[in-house]
Amino acid sequence: PAPAPAGALRVTLVDREPLALHCAMSTAQVCGLATAPVGAPAPPGAVHAMQCDWAHATEALAGQADLVLGSEVLYDPSTVSTLVSAAASLLHPHGGSLLLAEPAVGRAVGCRQKLDAQAVARGATVSAAPLPPAVAAGRAEPLLLIEVRFGVQAGSGGAAREGVDTEAAGMQAGAA
């Protein structure tokens, strides 16, 4: 919910699990952010929520976002294509970014490789970097920030994969 005070006109939380939405909306309220009831329109700057999966979020929000955020969503290789497709659909036609905070050691084999392949196939770039220790403090495992840039923001040099090899970084972090 941090984007609202950072100047976002709208923050929409999406999850297929009602308890996850309840927790996220409760956190927004505890942090003093304006909220709207689940499923209701939100005034500018308020946080609101939709209970649905990635694929159904695109029906209501297509082309409206500059930024799509996700956390620990790469846990099933069969859902990665839907995630990449949904992010591309949710972003403005001029492009934007999908930012994912993920465990450095992936939850499921092949998820990060599939994310990279699906994103590059859509003309996006993918980069990953470890989150600063202060962000990951108290976590049992190191985290990575993965950025997938779509459209104009992906750069004029064509689709490419930049940054660290996320699988290798995960293995190194797990071995440390």
Side-chain angles (χ1 to χ4, degrees):
L9 294 177
R10 179 168 63 179
V11 175
T12 303
L13 305 175
V14 177
D15 204 301
R16 63 182 182 202
E17 299 295 332
L19 182 57
L21 284 178
H22 172 76
C23 292
M25 291 297 286
S26 296
T27 299
Q29 288 177 333
V30 167
C31 291
L33 302 177
T35 59
V38 173
V47 176
H48 73 287
M50 293 176 49
Q51 183 183 346
C52 62
D53 60 20
W54 284 105
H56 293 99
T58 61
E59 295 169 10
L61 303 170
Q64 296 182 31
D66 292 312
L67 181 63
V68 175
L69 303 173
S71 179
E72 298 188 33
V73 295
L74 297 177
Y75 50 82
D76 181 353
S78 70
T79 63
V80 173
S81 294
T82 303
L83 169 63
V84 172
S85 201
S89 294
L90 290 167
L91 294 167
H92 284 289
H94 68 269
S97 292
L98 166 65
L99 291 178
L100 302 175
E102 293 291 326
V105 176
R107 296 267 187 253
V109 174
C111 281
R112 292 212 186 101
Q113 291 94 338
K114 192 164 184 179
L115 174 76
D116 291 348
Q118 293 287 320
V120 169
R122 289 181 165 269
T125 60
V126 181
S127 61
L131 286 172
V135 174
R139 297 278 311 200
E141 58 193 338
L143 298 174
L144 289 177
L145 180 64
I146 302 169
E147 181 177 15
V148 180
R149 288 179 287 160
F150 294 88
V152 176
Q153 292 181 5
S156 58
R161 184 162 187 258
E162 348 175 304
V164 300
D165 180 329
T166 56
E167 286 295 330
M171 295 298 218
Q172 292 168 356

